Amino acid sequence: MKHILEPMYQRQIDILDYLLMHNKKISLNELSSLVNSSESTVLRDINYFQDNFSHSIQINRNNFKEIQLINTSSQQIKQIQSIILNSSLNIRVMTNIFLKPFETIDYYSTLLKTSNSSIYKSIKEINHKLKDYQIRIKRVSQKYFVSTYSEQLLRELLAIFWVETHLFNFKESISEYAEIVSEINDNYSELFMTNQLIKDYYLSFIFVSIVREKGKFFLTDSPLLPDNDSQEEIIKRIKKSIQYSPYIDNIFLIIGISIN
């Protein structure tokens, strides 16, 4: 769900992707065309990378307006992209309304240290970009939450979203529910040992399911004791809903095909 990013952040991430893809030189004109921006805008972004990430990235520019990454690995690029990704207000708004639903706009603006108008604008952008998935941030009685036509699709997308936004601190990001995740994962962990990223996606789906079930957003029509928030009952509900995980019984994931 990275496409909910504001245009500036999406452009910066795309520029890094294209520079990495073109391990030789790429012209400024071609790069600006690829990201649909002016040359001056692209140069401003490159200056931003050099000013803020000089410890991780080296970019060479010559007099022929050619640009090239020097001695920079894909891992270093991913780390920079992760920082850029988590600088996005849209990403932070989506994250916090998912984690802490049914709060007021004042609560989210205080939490994110920004204005109410910025939160309103962000919600509007997110809803516009997610409308094809029939997912939206909804307001009822001045309280906000993530609403969807298909809870299963939402959980699949949020599982991917969580890994994307917490790529370098994934275990830490789910630590609040680590005990429950671990207990549920014991049933299936042997399926996902061949690829760490696949395992993270699967654990992320469990984590997302826990958060949604605790928020009373049920995947099944007949949740087990929905008013009981004890850990035992949550685990029962998650085990019942986890059968819908896209990572269970998927032969392509189980055999450990690499994900780039």
Side-chain angles (χ1 to χ4, degrees):
M1 296 211 302
K2 286 192 293 187
H3 68 284
I4 70 172
L5 282 169
E6 301 90 323
M8 179 184 75
Y9 297 116
Q10 185 63 67
R11 184 186 67 247
Q12 291 178 345
I13 286 175
D14 288 344
I15 287 172
L16 291 171
D17 277 337
Y18 285 124
L19 286 175
L20 191 61
M21 287 167 55
H22 293 75
N23 54 3
K24 297 183 178 179
K25 297 172 183 174
I26 181 173
S27 71
L28 178 59
N29 178 263
E30 181 181 358
L31 184 56
S32 60
S33 295
L34 287 170
V35 297
N36 195 30
S37 300
S38 68
E39 291 187 7
S40 59
T41 297
V42 172
L43 282 176
R44 186 167 61 247
D45 286 333
I46 288 173
N47 287 332
Y48 168 76
F49 300 148
Q50 292 178 311
D51 290 343
N52 292 275
F53 306 108
S54 58
H55 59 287
S56 300
I57 188 171
Q58 297 180 50
I59 300 176
N60 183 51
R61 289 179 285 174
N62 63 28
N63 293 331
F64 300 101
K65 290 189 175 182
E66 293 174 324
I67 302 169
Q68 182 181 16
L69 281 178
I70 305 294
N71 299 326
T72 304
S73 68
S74 59
Q75 183 77 355
Q76 288 170 311
I77 293 297
K78 286 179 182 178
Q79 288 176 327
I80 295 171
Q81 289 175 323
S82 180
I83 293 171
I84 294 170
L85 192 66
N86 286 284
S87 298
S88 160
L89 181 60
N90 288 359
I91 293 291
R92 291 183 289 136
V93 166
M94 186 71 181
T95 297
N96 283 280
I97 294 180
F98 157 62
L99 288 176
K100 304 176 186 296
F102 311 121
E103 299 288 354
T104 66
I105 203 75
D106 289 334
Y107 173 86
Y108 296 117
S109 63
T110 300
L111 183 67
L112 297 173
K113 299 179 181 179
T114 190
S115 64
N116 286 10
S117 60
S118 294
I119 301 292
Y120 285 128
K121 180 182 177 183
S122 181
I123 290 173
K124 184 177 179 180
E125 288 180 0
I126 292 168
N127 286 344
H128 175 71
K129 293 180 178 182
L130 293 181
K131 65 180 180 179
D132 289 343
Y133 300 98
Q134 295 182 286
I135 294 170
R136 64 180 286 105
I137 295 175
K138 192 174 180 179
R139 181 182 68 182
V140 174
S141 301
Q142 305 303 315
K143 303 294 179 68
Y144 290 80
F145 57 94
V146 182
S147 176
T148 179
Y149 174 79
S150 170
E151 181 68 19
Q152 179 182 349
L153 175 61
L154 175 64
R155 293 188 188 192
E156 292 175 10
L157 291 176
L158 281 177
I160 295 169
F161 170 82
W162 199 259
V163 174
E164 287 178 341
T165 54
H166 295 83
L167 186 62
F168 294 98
N169 65 335
F170 177 72
K171 288 183 179 179
E172 178 184 343
S173 75
I174 67 172
S175 60
E176 182 178 354
Y177 299 114
E179 184 178 347
I180 304 177
V181 171
S182 177
E183 184 167 343
I184 297 170
N185 179 54
D186 287 344
N187 294 324
Y188 304 104
S189 60
E190 71 277 2
L191 297 178
F192 301 97
M193 296 307 292
T194 57
N195 186 296
Q196 185 60 48
L197 185 56
I198 292 172
K199 186 175 181 180
D200 286 349
Y201 279 129
Y202 168 64
L203 296 178
S204 183
F205 185 87
I206 297 176
F207 166 73
V208 168
S209 293
I210 293 169
V211 174
R212 293 293 286 180
E213 294 278 334
K214 283 179 69 70
K216 303 296 189 292
F217 301 103
F218 301 114
L219 188 60
T220 58
D221 292 332
S222 303
L224 300 177
L225 302 175
D227 295 325
N228 189 331
D229 275 336
S230 71
Q231 179 167 310
E232 180 181 355
E233 293 303 332
I234 289 172
I235 290 174
K236 285 182 180 179
R237 296 207 304 265
I238 300 303
K239 283 183 176 179
K240 185 174 182 179
S241 70
I242 205 67
Q243 63 186 299
Y244 296 94
S245 166
Y247 312 115
I248 296 296
D249 298 329
N250 186 321
I251 187 62
F252 295 106
L253 295 180
I254 291 172
I255 63 176
I257 290 179
S258 63
I259 297 178
N260 293 322

